[in-house]
Amino acid sequence: MKMQIEDLDRQAQVVNGLRVTKELQKHLIADNPRGEHHHYIDRLESSLERTDELHQQRMARLNKGLRNIKQKTQTREQENSDMDEQITARYTTVMDRIHLEKTFEPGDRQRLDKQKTKMNNMVQRSHAVTTAKRQGEQIASLRGDLERWRLKTFPVLPFM
């Protein structure tokens, strides 16, 4: 029995040496320690669930935006590659023209200019002839209309 008393004294000294706050004392004394903080824990759990849900929604929205951006990037890259091909083709055409201009002699250039002028004159004459034909047809049609109106307004009267 003495030994038990000594053991209890030692345990009491150890407990007295511990710093125990009032909140911890309430927690130790309470019959159901989880019951007191149950509402607090429930609020934390619901808050955690809501935060997780919001996080999932935000991640879904960001992933959708990322997919859109990747799709736009691919479209732009395709457009850029198409434009690069066009630029290359035009550059080749320009270089060919420069090379051709360098290979012509001065007399050849004058001959080509005369041929271009002659061709332009022929095209202009052709357009002028077509326009003249069309206008001639319109004049003939208008003369016919004029004659009909003249006959309607001034009919030939028999002489008495």
Side-chain angles (χ1 to χ4, degrees):
M1 188 69 106
K2 279 186 175 185
M3 291 174 78
Q4 286 179 352
I5 293 175
E6 289 175 8
D7 286 338
L8 288 176
D9 283 338
R10 269 189 258 137
Q11 287 178 356
Q13 287 176 355
V14 169
V15 169
N16 285 335
L18 293 176
R19 290 190 181 200
V20 179
T21 62
K22 288 184 179 184
E23 188 176 311
L24 190 55
Q25 287 175 359
K26 284 181 184 178
H27 183 67
L28 292 172
I29 293 173
D31 292 337
N32 185 3
R34 174 143 168 81
E36 285 183 10
H37 300 292
H38 183 68
H39 68 281
Y40 178 71
I41 292 170
D42 285 344
R43 273 194 319 198
L44 286 177
E45 286 177 351
S46 65
S47 174
L48 182 63
E49 288 173 1
R50 179 66 182 151
T51 304
D52 188 41
E53 187 178 307
L54 290 174
H55 175 72
Q56 293 298 328
Q57 290 174 358
R58 184 169 185 247
M59 289 304 294
R61 191 175 61 244
L62 290 175
N63 285 335
K64 184 178 178 182
L66 182 63
R67 282 192 304 270
N68 288 341
I69 290 172
K70 283 182 180 180
Q71 186 178 15
K72 286 179 183 179
T73 303
Q74 289 175 349
T75 305
R76 294 284 193 256
E77 286 175 352
Q78 181 64 35
E79 289 174 358
N80 285 344
S81 65
D82 292 344
M83 286 183 188
D84 286 342
E85 290 173 6
Q86 290 176 358
I87 288 173
T88 305
R90 289 183 181 178
Y91 179 74
T92 305
T93 305
V94 168
M95 292 309 293
D96 289 344
R97 286 182 182 177
I98 290 172
H99 179 69
L100 287 174
E101 285 181 8
K102 287 180 181 178
T103 57
F104 281 128
E105 294 178 7
D108 292 339
R109 182 173 305 284
Q110 290 173 355
R111 187 171 43 92
L112 286 175
D113 288 341
K114 286 180 184 177
Q115 287 177 350
K116 281 184 183 179
T117 307
K118 198 182 237 184
M119 183 59 111
N120 286 339
N121 289 340
M122 288 171 49
V123 169
Q124 286 177 353
R125 185 178 183 284
S126 171
H127 286 301
V129 168
T130 354
T131 306
K133 284 182 184 177
R134 198 174 13 175
Q135 287 175 349
E137 291 170 0
Q138 287 177 349
I139 288 174
S141 170
L142 291 173
R143 281 186 181 159
D145 289 343
L146 178 66
E147 191 61 33
R148 272 194 318 254
W149 279 102
R150 190 179 308 152
L151 290 176
K152 276 185 178 179
T153 15
F154 301 110
V156 177
L157 297 172
F159 287 103
M160 298 201 160

